Amino acid sequence: DAKTTQPPSMDCAEGRAANLPCNHSTISGNEYVYWYRQIHSQGPQYIIHGLKNNETNEMASLIITEDRKSSTLILPHATLRDTAVYYCIVRLSSGNTPLVFGKGTRLSVIA
Amino acid sequence: SAVISQKPSRDICQRGTSLTIQCQVDSQVTMMFWYRQQPGQSLTLIATANQGSEATYESGFVIDKFPISRPNLTFSTLTVSNMSPEDSSIYLCAYASAISKEQFFGPGTRLTVL
């Protein structure tokens, strides 16, 4: 079972920041928080991951609370092409560990 | 990241038949995974495929129904056997990057069983 809880859907105005929350209260010390997204009819796409420090890359920022029980994915300037289902996943760092997908958050970016 | 492709991209099949889905990566990878995504649902792992060994299946999936081959480090196949309409899903393969630990997904195979 997925170890994360996310809101089922969110809307965001184009050009504004999209803040997607995720609860993972049972995360263990050696587990990372990963974010993937799935645009309609495509395979999931890796976005970002982190352990305890905040992370930023060209796609997004990841803010992890100090107790690591929750996190927020931030898309700083959402575009229509960011409309997708966003999955927050907790897993060990080993690439050999499969991903356990929850239901994710369906983000709709609105013009 | 390596390029990962799947064939066919979609198919419509009759009940009782079997379909083999191919997954090709353009560089050698150790671990490959097969996932199923039923209509309107999230992804569920079917099995993990290591080159040179039997695939490891998740609960609810069996080798007789979903036989998997992994003949080399760049290729894998998943067969959906004796299909029924309940097998209508998107089937996705993925590989794990040994360096970055990320998983990269293929575009998926959309299967419809009539």
Side-chain angles (χ1 to χ4, degrees), chain B residues 26-52:
Chain B
D26 72 354
S27 63
Q28 294 184 341
V29 297
T30 303
M31 302 292 289
M32 294 182 74
F33 307 93
W34 286 97
Y35 292 81
R36 179 177 73 180
Q37 187 170 30
Q38 295 176 298
Q41 303 296 313
S42 185
L43 284 79
T44 300
L45 180 68
I46 297 172
T48 300
N50 248 338
Q51 193 269 333

Side-chain angles (χ1 to χ4, degrees), chain A residues 36 43-44 95 97-99 101, chain B residues 2 4-6 22-25 29-36 43 45 47-50 70 73-76 91-97 102-108:
Chain A
Y36 281 75
T97 306
L99 298 170
F101 287 83
Chain B
I4 179 170
S5 60
Q6 288 184 233
Q22 299 179 9
C23 181
Q24 180 78 53
V25 187
V29 297
T30 303
M31 302 292 289
M32 294 182 74
F33 307 93
W34 286 97
Y35 292 81
R36 179 177 73 180
L43 284 79
L45 180 68
T48 300
N50 248 338
R70 183 81 204 275
L73 290 172
T74 64
F75 188 76
S76 180
Y91 293 85
L92 301 109
C93 67
Y95 75 89
S97 167
E102 301 153 24
Q103 283 192 19
F104 297 92
F105 286 80

Side-chain angles (χ1 to χ4, degrees), chain A residues 25-98:
Chain A
S25 58
T26 61
I27 192 171
S28 60
N30 57 352
E31 288 180 316
Y32 286 66
V33 180
Y34 279 75
W35 283 84
Y36 281 75
R37 73 180 182 184
Q38 187 175 25
I39 296 170
H40 182 63
S41 297
Q42 299 182 20
Q45 175 191 22
Y46 166 83
I47 301 173
I48 198 168
H49 75 281
L51 182 62
K52 54 183 178 180
N53 297 323
N54 297 337
E55 301 287 344
T56 296
N57 63 20
E58 65 278 3
M59 290 182 67
S61 294
L62 174 60
I63 309 297
I64 302 174
T65 58
E66 192 168 342
D67 62 8
R68 303 210 322 123
K69 293 185 177 182
S70 65
S71 60
T72 301
L73 178 74
I74 301 172
L75 308 179
H77 305 285
T79 71
L80 298 178
R81 286 177 292 183
D82 292 322
T83 293
V85 178
Y86 287 77
Y87 296 100
C88 171
I89 299 168
V90 166
R91 69 190 280 249
L92 296 172
S93 65
S94 167
N96 297 339
T97 306

